[in-house]
Each structure stands twice: as structure tokens, then as C-alpha cells.
Amino acid sequence: MPTSPRVALFVSLGLASLLLCAHSLAFDFVTDDAFISFVYAKNLVEHGALVFNLGERVEGYTNFLWTILIALGLFLKIPAELSSRVLGTLCAIGTMLFCAKVLRRLRDPADASSSHVPSLWDSVPAWILAGIPGYACWASGGLETQLFTLLCTLSLGWYLMATLDEDAGKTAKLFPIGITLGLSALTRPEGYLLCALLGLHRLYVKASRKTLWPSRDELYLVGLFLALTVPHLAWRRLYYGYFVPNTFYIKSSGGSGAWQQGRYYLWAVVRDLKLVVLPLLWLLGFVRALPSVQDAAYRRTGGLLLWWAGPFLLYVMSVGGDFMGLYRFVMPIVPLLVLAGVLGLWRLAAGRVVRTGLVLGCFALLHGLNSYVIDRHALSFIGADHGIDTPGYLRHYTADRAAIGKWLGQYVQPDDYQVVGGAGAQVYYAGIRALDSFGLSDEYVAHKVPAMSSRPGHQKFAPLDYVLSKKPTILTYNVYRIGQAPYRPSPPEAAEWRARGFHYVSVQVPGLSAPWYSFLKRIDRSLGPLPPQPDPSP
């Protein structure tokens, strides 16, 4: 019995989803920065306060909705390390499935009915997305990347299909976009940029049709967006004291160096992911003529991609990109980019079986080879490229910080305090208050300390006098050592820190990449097996 096109499409999408899961599990990690949100979620569940340190209201996260979802998981006794990866993977798969729906409509823009016969072509975006290293990596990773990407894709896809309805003389359903735009703004601040861009595009479309008066659906869209975002903005101002997250004051301080770093970041995206091929395929598609209705949909797709990707990439460049490898910051533009590229492939194939097989086969081979090379480097190279850490390094770094945090968690007292550089896994597992040296979760560093670097998220660093004013028990202020043997400071270094009330201690931490961990401990405090040290001065 022959397989129906719909069943064949479902099977193809299912296999692509399995490929995404397998590809994501190749990375199989939660990055240290994700644990910052986990700390907030944990304090919300255990103490009813959405804070990094109890008693300090500082918004050190940029992913409100994601943090709330993680908190919900913790409330239901689901570990944050698990829920974040499962949610990220489900969101990534959701984007892939939605792209199939959008592509089906773009191939036949005049037919919005569910009776339209699907095609295996509709699953091609899912296969491409599943094979993109950055898309698979950040389905893992523990961050909000894929939730934000899904919400952006839903907003753009529904908007694109609504404009096609209007082109066909039908009533467009715009109001659901207000929900997805509002949720995207609650997930990341860039959601406001997407809303502004779609609003400007809508004005352009209405002006071209000589009808600027808003429709009922447009008013509903705006109302739904405001109903989601205005209460959050008001609560943020009342709870934290500012209309923007504390992280804004860190990440917007890079100056001209941020632009230089951002240019390199985007060049690295092109070099590694080769996504520039996709808009080129869309342009090549114009060599084949299409019926006017299909051609209009084709042009609208490319136009909307340019409208969204251009300003968004300019924004990414302005903040210096990101320090995490495989380019999570560009993922929100990737699904629409893939849709445009697949439309180009579809147009070039011209519906002929042999030509279709050759076109897709060549593309799949080249895509697979590039992904293999990039994956292998990303996981095996433990280091950084111009300040962009590979996922292999991020996984290694987080594993070490988690091991240290779990060791500390066995011995610290509630009134102990730690100063850290990596403010994620170590803080989460140690379970005590901490100073984030880079200021993401510290108001003084974010607002008062001048920028010292253009590396994203690392532009500022807490001054030593401010660090010492916290009277920390544990000090890893660029002084910790992980090695095969205990660290032995020179006499001048030991004397300098002793004068400040600290001394080096070394412990063997299970699970660490090297056996010994050496750091500074306050002399007058005990820490598990490490007793206070008497002052040897006469």
C-alpha cells in the first residue's frame, strides 16, 4: 500500500527531530552562565525572592520568562540542569515543525486550507536546522536561546502568512502575534526590537495599500503585547529599581572595542556556519520564473528576512557578539534564513525528480561535511578564538565549577561569602551568597566601575577594595589555581595576602579536571577540614 504524502512528511519530520536530539546530545552540557538563572530560580522557589543574593534586589539575568520556567521545574522537583536541556530541545523541535507549516504555505500561498497536499520539501528546513552546529549546541547549553528563537519564528511566520492572506483578499489573523511578541520580549530584551521592526513593516505595508487606519486585529495585537509587557516593566521598576536589567549596564559599556569584537563575531559566523549560502540560494532562485502569486510570496520572504536580520545583526555587532562559541546570538534569524534558502532550492529544482535529488544531495553532503568539521573542532579544542570560547571549553569550565561548588556546599556555613569570576555553577551548588566579579549580578560594579575590556559580559571587573569590603570567606578573585599539585605562593605573595587577612589553601576536589584546587581563604574562618589559621605575627 503506497505511503500517503502526509505520512511521509510526518516520518521525515520525526527523523529530523531525532537527528536534532542526537546532534544536541553530542554537546550534552549546561554552560556556566545558565546557572546564574538557576540561582535566581532556586531562590524564588526556596525563599520567594527572584534574586541572586538574598536581601539584594539586582536583576542579573536577561531571560525573565526562561528563569520562571526553570523555577516552575524546580517547584515540581525537576532539576534545572535537566529541565533546561529538555525545554531547549523541545523548543528547537517546535521551531523545526513550524517551519514545515510556513514552507508549505509559501510554496502555495493562495491556499491557506489544511487540505493542501503536503510534500517532503516541507521537511527540508527541519533537516537543515538539525544539522547546524550552533542550532544543535544551543538546544543544549541550558540557556533561553531556543525559546527565544521559537517565539521569534512564530511571530515572523504568522506575520508572513497573514500578509499572504491579505494578498489573496482574505482576512488576516494578526492578534496571536501579540502573544508571541509579548512572550519574546519577556524572554529576552531583543523581543522589543522584533516588535518595533514588525510594527514598522506593518506601517510600510499599510501605506503601500493606502490604508493606515488600524484594523481590529491590529489593535488586539498591540493590546495583547502591552498586556504582557507593561506589567512586567512596572514590576521590574518597582522590584529592582530600573526599567532595564542590570546586565544592560555591563554589556552596553564596551565602546568602540565592542564594534570591533562584534565584526569579528559575525565574520566567524560566516566562516564557520556558512549560512551566507542560504540567502545566495534565494537570490539564485530568481533564474526560474514562478506564477505571480508564488513569486510575490517568494519576494516577501526575502524582504522580511532582510528587514529582521539587518537591524538584528547590527545590534549583535554593537554589543560585541557573545563570548560563547557556536554563535547563539544569531540563532533567532536562522529559521527564516533557512526558509529563504530552501525556497531557493525548491525554485531551482523546478519540480523535477532527478534535478531535485541532485540539488538536495549536493547540499546535504556539503552541509554535513561542514557540520562534522565544526562540531569536531568545537568539542575537541579547549580554548578560545578572539575571546569566543568553544563549547568544549565551556563544558570543561562548567564541570570544574560544578565540582568546586559541590565540594564547598558540604562545608560552608550560611554566613559564609564567596567572590567568584564564574558566577554560575559554583554559586548554585555551594548555596551561599556571592559577589560576581564581572558585575552581572552586582549593582555597584555594573553602575560605578568603568569598562576595562570589550569582551561581551566581561567588560567590567570588581575593584579589590570593593571585594575586600565584602569580607568574603572564599576568594577566587583571579587567584585560584587548578593543578596536579597544591599551589605554593612566593613569600612576597603570601605576605601580601596575609596582610589583607587571607591565606592560600589547597584541597583535593572529586571530579575536578586536575586533583588540586588552591584558593584564598579568610584566615580567621574555618571551612570544613580547613581550620582558622593563627596569626603568626608577634
Side-chain angles (χ1 to χ4, degrees):
M1 182 178 179
T3 303
S4 72
R6 190 176 301 276
V7 171
L9 175 60
F10 286 167
V11 170
S12 184
L13 289 172
L15 292 174
S17 299
L18 290 176
L19 174 62
L20 185 278
C21 292
H23 197 177
S24 176
L25 288 174
F27 296 94
D28 192 29
F29 80 116
V30 177
T31 192
D32 191 68
D33 269 33
F35 283 88
I36 297 176
S37 294
F38 297 174
V39 172
Y40 278 88
K42 183 180 179 182
N43 281 332
L44 177 61
V45 172
E46 295 182 355
H47 304 285
L50 194 56
V51 296
F52 189 74
N53 291 321
L54 296 179
E56 299 177 14
R57 291 189 177 184
V58 181
E59 188 178 5
Y61 56 87
T62 51
N63 51 10
F64 171 77
L65 181 58
W66 183 253
T67 302
I68 295 301
L69 291 174
I70 297 301
L72 178 61
L74 290 174
F75 179 77
L76 297 174
K77 309 301 181 186
I78 303 173
E81 306 92 306
L82 174 62
S83 65
S84 62
R85 289 194 296 168
V86 171
L87 283 172
T89 304
L90 290 176
C91 288
I93 292 173
T95 300
M96 291 160 57
L97 299 179
F98 183 69
C99 283
K101 176 181 176 66
V102 177
L103 182 61
R104 189 208 73 178
R105 183 66 198 285
L106 291 172
R107 288 190 305 102
D108 193 358
D111 185 3
S113 68
S114 59
S115 62
H116 176 70
V117 177
S119 164
L120 284 176
W121 269 107
D122 300 334
S123 67
V124 173
W127 285 96
I128 295 175
L129 288 169
I132 294 175
Y135 192 84
C137 174
W138 295 110
S140 183
L143 289 167
E144 74 290 343
T145 305
Q146 290 293 359
L147 173 61
F148 185 63
T149 299
L150 171 62
L151 292 168
C152 289
T153 306
L154 289 171
S155 300
L156 291 160
W158 277 335
Y159 179 78
L160 185 57
M161 290 189 289
T163 59
L164 296 180
D165 283 338
E166 291 177 329
D167 290 342
K170 301 174 183 177
T171 302
K173 293 182 179 180
L174 291 166
F175 70 90
I177 304 171
I179 299 174
T180 54
L181 284 175
L183 293 176
S184 72
L186 294 180
T187 303
R188 285 198 63 84
E190 294 89 341
Y192 287 100
L193 174 61
L194 175 59
C195 182
L197 291 172
L198 284 184
L200 289 173
H201 190 275
R202 188 63 185 165
L203 287 175
Y204 167 76
V205 170
K206 289 178 75 67
S208 66
R209 293 170 176 166
K210 297 181 174 56
T211 169
L212 289 176
W213 191 259
S215 68
R216 184 176 62 177
D217 258 32
E218 288 168 339
L219 293 175
Y220 283 158
L221 186 160
V222 173
L224 287 169
F225 177 80
L226 294 177
L228 287 168
T229 56
V230 170
H232 175 246
L233 289 172
W235 171 82
R236 171 188 277 162
R237 177 67 177 82
L238 290 171
Y239 196 79
Y240 294 116
Y242 299 93
F243 282 114
V244 295
N246 192 67
T247 52
F248 167 82
Y249 300 96
I250 301 291
K251 297 179 181 181
S252 64
S253 64
S256 60
W259 285 94
Q260 182 178 355
Q261 178 71 15
R263 286 194 295 271
Y264 184 83
Y265 183 82
L266 294 185
W267 156 243
V269 172
V270 174
R271 178 196 65 198
D272 292 345
L273 301 186
K274 313 292 192 300
L275 297 178
V276 70
V277 171
L278 295 167
L280 291 178
L281 288 171
W282 180 81
L283 289 172
L284 282 173
F286 282 104
V287 302
R288 180 201 169 198
L290 287 176
S292 59
V293 174
Q294 289 180 329
D295 192 63
Y298 194 86
R299 292 173 185 273
R300 281 201 181 279
T301 303
L304 188 60
L305 171 63
L306 181 63
W307 194 277
W308 166 228
F312 185 80
L313 292 178
L314 189 65
Y315 157 76
V316 170
M317 189 189 302
S318 73
V319 298
D322 185 34
F323 73 93
M324 300 185 202
L326 291 186
Y327 320 113
R328 68 185 180 104
F329 269 20
V330 302
M331 288 304 119
I333 71 168
V334 168
L336 190 57
L337 195 64
V338 169
L339 282 169
V342 172
L343 276 175
L345 285 171
W346 170 72
R347 193 163 177 168
L348 289 169
R352 299 180 182 178
V353 175
V354 174
R355 186 186 299 180
T356 297
L358 287 174
V359 169
L360 290 180
C362 290
F363 185 87
L365 177 62
L366 294 173
H367 183 37
L369 286 174
N370 182 70
S371 295
Y372 173 77
V373 171
I374 298 303
D375 281 354
R376 186 175 181 182
H377 175 77
L379 290 168
S380 61
F381 179 64
I382 310 300
D385 172 23
H386 285 70
I388 305 172
D389 296 330
T390 64
Y393 175 78
L394 295 171
R395 185 164 66 178
H396 169 85
Y397 181 91
T398 305
D400 274 353
R401 293 308 167 284
I404 293 165
K406 290 174 182 177
W407 184 87
L408 290 172
Q410 301 175 80
Y411 304 115
V412 293
Q413 300 300 315
D415 62 339
D416 281 327
Y417 192 94
Q418 58 182 328
V419 177
V420 297
Q426 182 172 329
V427 177
Y428 182 75
Y429 289 115
I432 57 171
R433 298 168 73 241
L435 169 64
D436 168 18
S437 296
F438 294 108
L440 296 174
S441 297
D442 187 85
E443 184 175 347
Y444 176 82
V445 176
H447 289 261
K448 302 296 184 182
V449 175
M452 302 171 59
S453 167
S454 59
R455 189 185 185 210
H458 298 75
Q459 290 94 329
K460 300 186 178 186
F461 202 69
L464 182 56
D465 57 350
Y466 179 65
V467 169
L468 296 179
S469 72
K470 297 289 186 177
K471 299 185 176 1
T473 304
I474 301 151
L475 181 55
T476 59
Y477 182 80
N478 262 5
V479 292
Y480 69 87
R481 304 287 192 281
I482 297 175
Q484 297 298 323
Y487 176 66
R488 303 298 182 192
S490 65
E493 183 184 9
E496 179 182 0
W497 281 111
R498 180 169 287 276
R500 294 178 175 133
F502 294 88
H503 68 124
Y504 269 103
V505 293
S506 298
V507 294
Q508 289 186 298
V509 175
L512 210 56
S513 57
W516 288 93
Y517 179 59
S518 304
F519 60 98
L520 288 166
K521 179 184 77 67
R522 214 167 88 190
I523 291 173
D524 62 344
R525 293 292 296 249
S526 64
L527 182 64
L530 306 171
Q533 187 177 94
D535 187 348
S537 60

